[in-house]
């Protein structure tokens, strides 16, 4: 199902207040100074990847497009701004008619990125672009962090499916976004029904320990679940004694039992013992699913175990130790006047603290080696070299205020699998290291 066309609502009527106050105070000052209408270019990028990460993953692009479309200052929002004396009447009048009318280009969702990559480029008047800074960064920083963790986990899983199970470990709305980002990063399903409803992600779930504890005997709990869900269900076998539970599970469901889930203990040892027991009982096709606070390192340590699928919660929705992608939104070029024909002038902050920005409207391309493997991320201003013209990374997302690049979530997921496969093999190593591709700059002048 392509839910991108369903027009599902955002969580609030407007995204306009998903912003920091200084966006509005800058707008007001610019309106008074006569500079608000200057054509401007903002770019989203990160100066560095989280420590030890070899690549980043772009996620949240579809949610950004929704947020831009719903960035409207309705009567209630304007009343709040007026009563709080956040901005004056002239600015409120301007905000009442706000509709983003510019252009947005960006790396397509699921693509990988590196330090300095112009992940998203927002162009229009200073006034209309500056207001979008906070909401764009909020979405991209969260979703890209989750997708990067998911990608590392899916790589470590070596083709075994991963289930996203983190809804109870984060904010209820962040859980939906996290499930979406995890799917982009390679997860196969989610336990979160809101994510399934909103984005068409496959949902799964059977029972928790509470269901077993509810019944007088473990056998009674298994019987009730099998009668309700069929023999193909997954039975949780570590409430009491694992070996006894596996024996009971097969007696109740027969060798057609779909799966057993292990949620505690030495997973490597227990998985081997359970596999041997299942095989001896004739349940050779019964799968083993493991959960229990997994991360990419724990998943990798189970590579040799007879595990068929993993369920991941806390470590996924917290970015496996890196809950943000540290992206920034910087003005890189602006016109010298409000004349639409005025040329763009590169601008950049000067800093001695490592917060370096490079001015100018940028393009990006990925150079390949002789074997077709990516060898460098090339970022530049001005004309694109002929040899890189067909390797450009940015695509048009919004044109003249209209979204032009909506796509099914599966397209982003497939794109990520392909993009990761195109990187050097060292990209999937879990050991700490530098970004797998260097970023090279090709600027004008």
């Amino acid at each position: 199902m392509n839910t991108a066309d369903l027009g599902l609502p955002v969580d609030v009527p407007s995204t306009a207040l998903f912003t920091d106050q200084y966006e509005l105070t800058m707008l007001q000052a610019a309106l008074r100074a006569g500079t608000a209408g200057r054509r401007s270019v903002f770019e989203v990028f990160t100066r560095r990847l989280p420590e030890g990460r070899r690549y980043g993953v772009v996620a949240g692009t579809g949610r950004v497009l929704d947020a831009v479309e719903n960035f409207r200052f309705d009567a209630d929002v304007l009343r709040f701004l007026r009563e709080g004396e956040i901005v004056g009447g002239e600015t409120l009048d301007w905000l009442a008619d706000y509709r983003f009318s510019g252009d947005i280009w960006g790396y397509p969702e699921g693509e990988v990125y590196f330090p300095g990559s112009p992940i998203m480029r927002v162009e229009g008047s200073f006034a209309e672009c500056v207001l979008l800074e906070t909401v764009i960064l909020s979405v991209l920083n969260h979703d890209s962090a989750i997708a990067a963790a998911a990608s590392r986990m899916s790589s470590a899983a070596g083709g075994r499916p991963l289930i996203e199970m983190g809804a109870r470990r984060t904010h209820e709305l962040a859980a939906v976004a996290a499930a979406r980002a995890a799917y982009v990063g390679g997860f196969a399903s989610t336990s979160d029904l809101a994510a399934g409803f909103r984005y068409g992600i496959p949902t799964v779930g059977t029972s928790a320990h509470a269901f077993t504890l509810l019944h007088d005997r473990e056998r009674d709990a298994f019987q009730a679940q099998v009668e309700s869900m069929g023999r193909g269900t997954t039975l949780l076998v570590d409430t009491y004694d694992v070996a006894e539970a596996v024996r009971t599970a097969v007696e109740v469901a027969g060798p057609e039992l779909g799966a057993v889930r292990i949620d505690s203990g030495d997973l490597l040892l227990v998985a081997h013992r359970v596999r041997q027991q299942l095989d001896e009982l004739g349940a050779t096709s019964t799968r083993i699913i493991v959960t229990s606070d997994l991360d990419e390192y724990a998943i990798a340590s189970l590579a040799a175990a007879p595990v068929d699928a993993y369920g991941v919660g806390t470590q996924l929705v917290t970015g496996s130790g890196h809950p943000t992608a540290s992206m920034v939104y910087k003005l890189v070029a602006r016109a010298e006047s409000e004349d639409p024909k005025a040329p763009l002038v590169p601008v950049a902050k000067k800093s001695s603290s490592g917060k370096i920005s490079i001015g100018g409207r940028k393009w990006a391309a990925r150079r390949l080696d002789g074997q077709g493997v990516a060898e460098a991320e090339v970022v530049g201003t001005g004309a694109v070299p002929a040899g890189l013209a067909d390797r450009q990374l940015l695509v048009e997302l919004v044109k003249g205020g209209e979204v032009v690049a909506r796509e099914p979530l599966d397209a982003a997921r497939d794109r990520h699998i392909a993009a990761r496969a195109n990187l050097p093999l060292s990209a999937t190593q879990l050991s700490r290291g530098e970004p797998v591709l260097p970023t090279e700059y090709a600027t004008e002048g």
Side-chain angles (χ1 to χ4, degrees):
M1 178 175 62
N2 180 2
T3 57
D5 298 327
L6 295 183
L8 296 174
V10 292
D11 304 311
V12 294
S14 167
T15 55
L17 293 184
F18 289 171
T19 191
D20 292 308
Q21 182 167 319
Y22 79 169
E23 315 291 11
L24 299 186
T25 55
M26 283 192 289
L27 166 68
Q28 178 163 284
L31 287 171
R32 292 180 178 177
T35 53
R38 289 187 175 185
R39 189 160 58 101
S40 300
V41 180
F42 287 82
E43 288 176 353
V44 176
F45 63 94
T46 184
R47 296 184 175 94
R48 64 191 64 85
L49 298 178
E51 184 180 357
R53 296 289 168 89
R54 304 296 181 91
Y55 60 91
V57 181
V58 177
T61 308
R63 296 207 309 120
V64 167
L65 300 180
D66 291 340
V68 171
E69 279 194 332
N70 287 279
F71 205 92
R72 304 282 187 269
F73 292 84
D74 58 26
D76 290 338
V77 170
L78 292 170
R79 184 181 305 110
F80 164 77
L81 297 175
R82 181 181 299 107
E83 292 176 353
E85 298 182 349
I86 293 170
V87 290
E90 181 181 346
T91 305
L92 290 171
D93 291 341
W94 189 92
L95 292 173
D97 296 324
Y98 178 85
R99 299 291 185 275
F100 180 73
S101 63
D103 302 327
I104 299 178
W105 290 69
Y107 279 38
E109 191 158 19
E111 183 58 85
V112 296
Y113 69 88
F114 299 91
S117 296
I119 296 162
M120 186 168 286
R121 191 175 70 217
V122 182
E123 305 182 29
S125 70
F126 174 85
E128 63 182 339
C129 294
V130 75
L131 294 181
L132 299 177
E133 174 182 5
T134 304
V135 70
I136 287 177
L137 288 178
S138 177
V139 172
L140 292 180
N141 268 315
H142 174 269
D143 290 22
S144 296
I146 304 305
S151 178
R152 285 163 61 86
M153 292 174 187
S154 66
S155 177
R160 296 168 177 173
L162 291 153
I163 307 165
E164 186 280 314
M165 304 171 62
R168 64 190 61 194
R169 303 301 188 199
T170 188
H171 185 280
E172 65 272 18
L173 300 183
V176 182
R180 183 187 183 281
Y183 191 70
V184 171
F187 273 56
S189 57
T190 180
S191 66
D192 191 278
L193 290 177
F197 171 75
R198 187 166 301 174
Y199 299 118
I201 302 170
T203 61
V204 296
T206 51
S207 67
H209 293 103
F211 185 75
T212 301
L213 296 170
L214 169 68
H215 293 81
D216 297 333
R217 299 183 304 164
E218 192 170 45
R219 178 181 295 273
D220 297 336
F222 289 172
Q223 187 69 50
Q225 184 174 327
V226 169
E227 290 178 356
S228 173
M229 305 186 71
R231 297 178 185 273
T233 191
T234 300
L235 296 177
L236 181 59
V237 295
D238 72 331
T239 305
Y240 305 118
D241 179 83
V242 173
E244 181 61 30
V246 171
R247 185 179 303 109
T248 302
V250 175
E251 289 176 357
V252 170
E256 299 85 6
L257 175 62
V260 295
R261 179 163 74 95
I262 306 167
D263 189 50
S264 59
D266 183 336
L267 297 178
L268 179 61
L269 176 62
V270 175
H272 277 286
R273 288 178 174 174
V274 169
R275 181 73 271 159
Q276 180 179 354
Q277 185 180 10
L278 287 170
D279 291 346
E280 291 172 350
L281 293 169
T284 56
S285 62
T286 298
R287 298 178 304 132
I288 297 175
I289 300 171
V290 297
T291 51
S292 187
D293 206 25
L294 300 175
D295 62 10
E296 60 265 49
Y297 300 102
I299 291 169
S301 74
L302 293 168
V307 172
D308 297 285
Y310 306 90
V312 189
T314 303
Q315 294 301 317
L316 175 67
V317 299
T318 57
S320 194
H322 297 288
T324 178
S326 299
M327 295 177 185
V328 294
Y329 183 98
K330 297 297 181 183
L331 181 66
V332 296
R334 51 86 175 169
E336 293 184 331
S337 72
E338 294 197 353
D339 183 347
K341 297 181 180 180
L344 290 172
V345 178
V347 295
K349 172 185 176 181
K350 293 183 179 180
S351 174
S352 59
S353 63
K355 291 186 175 182
I356 299 172
S357 299
I358 297 176
R361 182 179 185 271
K362 299 177 193 68
W363 51 263
R366 191 160 298 146
R367 192 174 68 239
L368 308 181
D369 65 14
Q371 285 71 48
V373 178
E375 67 174 7
E377 193 88 339
V378 185
V379 177
T381 58
V384 181
L388 295 174
D390 62 347
R391 300 297 306 168
Q392 293 189 71
L393 293 164
L394 280 81
V395 299
E396 194 169 31
L397 302 171
V398 176
K399 183 176 183 179
E402 298 295 325
V403 173
V404 295
R406 277 214 170 82
E407 62 181 4
L409 194 57
D410 279 331
R413 188 171 187 270
D414 293 343
R415 181 180 296 114
H416 176 62
I417 294 171
R420 188 176 65 190
N422 192 235
L423 297 176
L425 289 175
S426 58
T428 57
Q429 293 178 348
L430 295 182
S431 57
R432 294 185 181 278
E434 296 300 312
V436 71
L437 295 188
T439 302
E440 300 177 0
Y441 291 96
T443 56
E444 288 181 299

